[in-house]
Amino acid sequence: MKVVEHLEKYIGEISRGADIDDRKYNVTIALYNNIPFEDIRTYSTLGMNQYFIEYYYEFIFVCMAKYNEDEIASFLTSFAEYLIDGGKGVQRGDILSFDFSMTSETKMNSLYFTLPFYFDDELQELQMEDKGIVFPLIVPVYQEEAELINEKGWNAFEDFLEENEINNLWDLKRDKYTW
């Protein structure tokens, strides 16, 4: 319950849980409506911290509310299962690319991992009695952006975002960025 309390303290009240029937593990997806902004929806995993994958994780994902929440929740569930099955975690600046797009509504097929910058810094980690849980933000990116991040480094990508005040990373149909 401490994880839910932590998430709700720093993200906001959970609106509901996703209805995923064919889960392989005890991981669900929580949805937060109009957070961090109007017409934006935040998703978080719940239950990943039961499985140690280099660290204990719960992931955060933010996108426009107009995108199909069932597809996104299904993708995030599959992603969580992929990490658990593989036993390999992620760190800030890592990229994971797939041979398929995240949902039918986007051409993005890569995930970039960073600090949950939409929210208070205190969200980043929860220290419990027996473990610490980290809360990386998943930022969806196009294959071309993933290649640039790998080529130029994640610092260059995050500097570009900050210097150009990029504020539409939650749009799954945004234009591609180059830097």
Side-chain angles (χ1 to χ4, degrees):
M1 206 54 168
K2 269 194 134 182
V3 173
V4 171
E5 292 168 1
H6 181 79
L7 289 165
E8 289 192 326
K9 179 177 180 180
Y10 295 108
I11 294 178
E13 186 176 338
I14 295 172
S15 302
R16 66 192 166 288
D19 193 16
I20 306 288
D21 293 330
D22 58 346
R23 295 181 299 165
K24 189 173 182 180
Y25 298 101
N26 190 23
V27 176
T28 192
I29 306 299
L31 290 79
Y32 311 74
N33 288 332
N34 296 311
I35 294 174
F37 307 106
E38 190 72 26
D39 298 323
I40 304 296
R41 181 175 296 122
T42 295
Y43 300 77
S44 70
T45 59
L46 282 177
M48 275 201 71
N49 72 84
Q50 299 172 61
Y51 309 95
F52 182 78
I53 315 164
E54 296 181 9
Y55 295 95
Y56 292 102
Y57 294 99
E58 295 295 350
F59 289 91
I60 311 296
F61 181 82
V62 177
C63 75
M64 297 174 85
K66 69 180 183 178
Y67 296 116
N68 185 308
E69 67 184 47
D70 292 334
E71 277 193 65
I72 293 167
S74 178
F75 174 80
L76 292 172
T77 301
S78 296
F79 164 71
E81 292 171 351
Y82 168 81
L83 283 184
I84 294 167
D85 284 345
K88 179 146 174 49
V90 296
Q91 295 182 6
R92 181 180 185 185
D94 282 354
I95 290 276
L96 285 179
S97 295
F98 303 98
D99 294 337
F100 52 86
S101 61
M102 293 176 48
T103 74
S104 64
E105 298 175 294
T106 185
K107 301 233 184 278
M108 293 180 178
N109 72 331
S110 299
L111 305 176
Y112 174 75
F113 301 90
T114 190
L115 304 175
F117 57 81
Y118 294 118
F119 306 99
D120 188 286
D121 288 348
E122 297 298 314
L123 172 61
Q124 294 176 31
E125 186 175 354
L126 170 62
Q127 198 58 47
M128 298 184 60
E129 292 174 18
D130 59 336
K131 62 186 171 187
I133 303 169
V134 294
F135 296 82
L137 176 69
I138 300 171
V139 176
V141 295
Y142 292 100
Q143 183 63 42
E144 296 85 348
E145 293 170 331
E147 291 168 6
L148 275 175
I149 293 167
N150 284 329
E151 176 188 324
K152 296 184 176 189
W154 65 268
N155 284 321
F157 177 57
E158 292 196 8
D159 288 347
F160 165 80
L161 296 176
E162 193 171 321
E163 290 166 7
N164 292 280
E165 298 179 11
I166 303 299
N167 64 357
N168 68 343
L169 292 175
W170 50 67
D171 186 352
L172 300 180
K173 292 184 180 179
R174 66 174 170 75
D175 291 336
K176 295 175 188 164
Y177 293 116
T178 58
W179 60 95

